[in-house]
């Protein structure tokens, strides 16, 4: 399973990249606005830190502008993955950019039917938003299970399931149980994966007992 971080904060990205566990980055217009940075130089900066896919989202919603924006974003670095919305125009752009050899992440997916279309359009990644489905009383993880099953029926489809809108560690664990290819998580959720009270308690006891031995390893 690949781990992407969902943020426009370069400090968080550098921090997580230094763990050696980070496989990529996703951004969206809201995260870019939150970062307060200029979009294009920020994407370049992120691509210099992380060698895996870095999703950069088009801003337009019409085909003509989206395809131009997509090509411009793709030109920033080899590892840019152009993010397009799951609309008829977005999927047309997806097909065209994919045929040109550009990685494409199709975002704002909320149904299995939409995920089928994205695979047909040659998407590199499909991003179903689990947290936002949970927020409206639907089962986000059931959608992941459905898409993983459907994609598994068609080995000729190369689209990876990228679990997005992740809110807590169990989303990640459940995604792994279902065989989703990628999760993209806010930095705080990734940090929560490390935590267990018994780890803290056990380590404190080992440290205390080691002191009693009066020994040193180095
Ligand atoms: C994915 O690529 C999106 O940027 C993101 O996961 C959306 O998450 P949110 O629902 O927490 O805004």
């Amino acid at each position: 399973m690949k781990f992407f971080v969902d943020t426009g904060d370069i400090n968080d990205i550098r921090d997580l990249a230094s763990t050696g566990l980070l496989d990529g980055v996703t951004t969206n217009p809201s995260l870019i606005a939150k970062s307060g940075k200029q979009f294009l130089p920020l994407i370049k900066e992120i691509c210099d830190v992380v060698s895996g896919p870095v999703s950069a989202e088009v801003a337009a919603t019409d085909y003509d502008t989206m395809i131009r924006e997509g090509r411009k974003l793709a030109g920033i670095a080899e590892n840019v993955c152009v993010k397009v919305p799951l609309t008829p125009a977005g999927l047309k752009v997806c097909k065209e950019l994919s045929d040109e050899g550009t990685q494409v992440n199709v975002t704002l997916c909320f149904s299995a039917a939409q995920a089928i279309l994205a695979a047909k359009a040659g998407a590199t990644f499909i991003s179903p938003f689990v947290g936002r489905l949970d927020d409206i009383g639907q089962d986000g993880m059931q959608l992941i299970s459905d898409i993983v099953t459907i994609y598994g029926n068609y080995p000729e489809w190369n689209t990876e399931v990228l679990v997005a809108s992740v809110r807590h560690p169990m989303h990640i664990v459940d995604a792994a149980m279902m065989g989703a290819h990628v999760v993209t998580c806010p930095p705080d959720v990734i940090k929560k994966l490390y935590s267990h009270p018994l780890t803290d308690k056990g380590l404190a006891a080992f440290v205390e007992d080691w002191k009693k031995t009066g020994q040193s390893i180095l």
Side-chain angles (χ1 to χ4, degrees):
M1 169 182 257
K2 284 176 256 187
F3 268 32
F4 292 0
V5 65
D6 194 33
T7 185
D9 186 322
I10 190 70
N11 294 323
D12 280 336
I13 292 167
R14 284 186 197 285
D15 190 31
L16 286 160
S18 73
T19 66
L21 303 180
L22 190 64
D23 301 300
V25 177
T26 53
T27 64
N28 65 38
S30 307
L31 294 169
I32 297 300
K34 195 173 161 197
S35 78
K37 298 261 189 87
Q38 285 296 305
F39 182 37
L40 303 184
L42 177 60
I43 293 298
K44 172 80 181 100
E45 200 179 354
I46 297 172
C47 288
D48 288 342
V49 175
V50 178
S51 59
V54 174
S55 289
E57 189 160 342
V58 296
T61 56
D62 67 285
Y63 167 80
D64 287 332
T65 319
M66 265 195 284
I67 189 83
R68 286 173 47 228
E69 288 179 347
R71 288 189 180 126
K72 183 166 181 178
L73 292 170
I76 294 175
E78 289 240 321
N79 54 329
V80 165
C81 176
V82 176
K83 208 171 176 189
V84 299
L86 207 153
T87 61
L91 290 186
K92 198 172 160 191
V93 171
C94 172
K95 179 81 177 83
E96 214 155 310
L97 291 179
S98 300
D99 287 348
E100 290 169 13
T102 295
Q103 296 188 77
V104 181
N105 177 357
V106 176
T107 189
L108 292 168
C109 171
F110 294 96
S111 78
Q114 291 178 318
I116 291 170
L117 286 175
K120 293 281 295 172
T124 315
F125 302 105
I126 180 69
S127 288
F129 279 34
V130 295
R132 293 193 194 185
L133 280 170
D134 292 352
D135 289 345
I136 61 161
Q138 294 187 18
D139 187 345
M141 291 315 298
Q142 183 58 50
L143 175 59
I144 300 302
S145 173
D146 291 348
I147 298 172
V148 169
T149 301
I150 291 167
Y151 282 10
N153 290 340
Y154 298 93
E156 68 272 24
W157 288 349
N158 295 315
T159 306
E160 297 194 1
V161 180
L162 192 168
V163 181
S165 189
V166 164
R167 301 269 201 264
H168 50 73
M170 283 315 293
H171 274 151
I172 300 168
V173 174
D174 289 342
M177 298 279 289
M178 290 168 185
H181 307 87
V182 193
V183 282
T184 188
C185 322
D188 66 304
V189 177
I190 296 183
K191 286 170 193 159
K192 280 182 192 163
L193 289 174
Y194 288 92
S195 302
H196 198 286
L198 290 180
T199 304
D200 299 340
K201 191 178 168 195
L203 184 58
F206 287 156
V207 168
E208 276 314 304
D209 289 342
W210 179 248
K211 274 187 205 156
K212 289 177 202 158
T213 72
Q215 298 179 50
S216 158
I217 296 174
L218 296 177

